[in-house]
Every structure is written in C-alpha cells, then in structure tokens.
Amino acid sequence: MTAATQPLLPEGFRELEPYVVDWALPTRQERYDMRLSKDMTELGVFYDAIAPRAEAAIAHLDTLDLDALPEPELRLLRLLFSMILVSYAVNVFEQPSIPDAGAAFFDTLVEPAV
C-alpha cells in the first residue's frame, strides 16, 4: 500500500473519512474556527454522521495507549473532539456561535494532553 492510499481512519470508521480534512484538526481553536465557518446544515450533517459512531470510536480508542496513538486513531480522536464542540451548536445554541456572548471569547493556551 502506498502513502497515497493509506487509510485516514482505522478500519471500521472509514465512512467518516470525508470529514477528516475539515474536522480532524489538532487544536481546539482550529476546531472552533471551523465550527464558526460552517452553517447549521453543514454542522448538522457532520454531527449526524459522527454521533452514532462515537461510542464505537471511544471503545476502539480505549484499547490503545492514548500517548502513542497511530495517525488514523489520532484523527478519529480529533473527530470526536470536533463532534463534542459541534454538539453545542447543534443541540443547544442552534447556531454556530455562542448566543448573547457579544465580543467575548477565550483563548486556549494549552491543549489537553493526549
């Protein structure tokens, strides 16, 4: 198998590969910026694709050392992080941004250890 044909996600999760480029981002800020760049239809499509697979993805990742994830599993973990971030927009706010927050924002100075 050549580098060009290497799978982006682990076996059993390959149907989620169309979301990797936009959503398997390394930082929370990048994921939040992506959420803000999408409309609610796009966020809903992403959420509806990932959410039903979340428990299986977590079970798969739980079998591995999180400090030494292979790239496909790291991308899967980042998709889960994005799903969590998008879930607020889809299920709570019903819009990409946080309502009634004005110009308030926060910067994440340190990413969670993975």
Side-chain angles (χ1 to χ4, degrees):
M1 190 175 275
T2 67
T5 61
Q6 288 290 330
L8 296 175
L9 294 172
E11 184 69 40
F13 300 96
R14 304 250 167 86
E15 76 279 5
L16 303 176
E17 287 185 353
Y19 303 101
V20 167
V21 171
D22 280 353
W23 293 106
L25 302 170
T27 68
R28 184 219 166 269
Q29 188 62 52
E30 289 173 288
R31 293 185 288 271
Y32 185 71
D33 290 345
M34 182 61 66
R35 180 177 105 179
L36 293 178
S37 77
K38 302 290 187 182
D39 63 34
M40 286 306 295
T41 299
E42 293 169 302
L43 294 177
V45 167
F46 170 70
Y47 181 80
D48 289 345
I50 305 296
R53 302 304 319 277
E55 286 188 39
I58 292 166
H60 174 73
L61 294 170
D62 278 346
T63 67
L64 304 169
D65 178 0
L66 289 179
D67 293 321
L69 288 177
E71 282 298 314
E73 278 77 10
L74 183 57
R75 288 185 202 102
L76 182 62
L77 179 62
R78 289 174 176 166
L79 285 179
L80 289 174
F81 289 163
S82 288
M83 182 210 67
I84 293 165
L85 193 67
V86 166
S87 72
Y88 292 99
V90 172
N91 296 316
V92 179
F93 306 140
E94 297 179 352
Q95 63 184 33
S97 61
I98 300 170
D100 303 320
F105 68 93
F106 68 92
D107 290 322
T108 303
L109 300 177
V110 178
E111 288 294 315
V114 177

